[in-house]
Structures are given as C-alpha cells and as structure tokens.
C-alpha cells in the first residue's frame, strides 16, 4: 500500500475543490455515473489528505444512493464510521 501511495500524484486543496464542484455539477445534471467515475478515478490515482478522502468518499456514497445502490453507499463509508477514524 505504501509503495503504491508513493507512486500516486498529490492533489492540492484548490484542485480538490474544483473536482468537488465538477462532481456536484454532474450530479445536478443527473449524470451520476459520470460523477462516480470522476470520484473512483481520483481515489485510485491520487494521494489525498484524510479530510479530502473522506469528502470524496462521502460524495461517492451519495452518488451510489442516487443510483439506488444503498448497500454500496453504506459499505463505502464504513471506514469513516469507526471511532478510530474520527481521531
């Protein structure tokens, strides 16, 4: 996992904010599959702060909900539901 993370690019806070705006736009237009692709590609391709990963994961959960994929929506946020992740 660490070797993989060292090969990933880092996104600035400004880039993450622009990305979140683009995702919101896709969701507002009804293109949840496009929003999902942006999020999953970003999570797989970039090193993110814990906060940014949590934001993107939360939006991914919401995106799954908009598609009626409720079990996946809950599963994806489980890692942030653990008390240790809140510290």
């Amino acid at each position: 996992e660490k070797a993989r993370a060292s090969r990933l690019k880092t996104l600035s806070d400004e880039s993450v904010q622009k990305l979140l705006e683009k995702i919101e736009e896709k969701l507002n237009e009804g293109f949840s599959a496009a929003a999902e692709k942006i999020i999953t590609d970003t999570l797989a391709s970039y090193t993110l702060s814990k906060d940014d990963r949590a934001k993107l994961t939360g939006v991914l959960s919401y995106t799954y909900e908009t598609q009626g994929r409720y079990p996946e929506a809950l599963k994806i946020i489980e890692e942030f539901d653990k008390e240790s992740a809140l510290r």
Side-chain angles (χ1 to χ4, degrees):
E1 181 67 26
K2 282 189 177 189
R4 181 179 162 270
S6 66
R7 293 191 307 264
L8 301 178
K9 295 177 251 167
T10 302
L11 278 182
S12 68
D13 290 341
E14 184 180 325
S15 295
V16 171
Q17 189 55 45
K18 287 181 182 178
L19 197 62
L20 288 167
E21 290 168 9
K22 183 176 181 180
I23 293 164
E24 182 180 2
E25 184 179 299
K26 293 293 182 194
L27 289 170
N28 288 340
E29 293 171 353
F31 299 121
S32 56
E36 177 185 348
K37 180 161 178 33
I38 293 167
I39 299 165
T40 56
D41 288 352
T42 302
L43 290 170
S45 302
Y46 293 93
T47 299
L48 301 164
S49 70
K50 196 180 282 190
D51 286 346
D52 288 340
R53 180 166 289 283
K55 287 177 194 173
L56 284 169
T57 302
V59 177
L60 181 58
S61 177
Y62 173 75
T63 302
Y64 286 159
E65 285 181 35
T66 65
Q67 298 173 19
R69 295 162 58 189
Y70 304 109
E72 288 172 89
L74 291 172
K75 184 166 179 55
I76 196 78
I77 59 171
E78 276 181 351
E79 71 178 282
F80 299 101
D81 192 33
K82 295 181 176 77
E83 190 171 326
S84 62
L86 300 174
R87 295 179 189 176

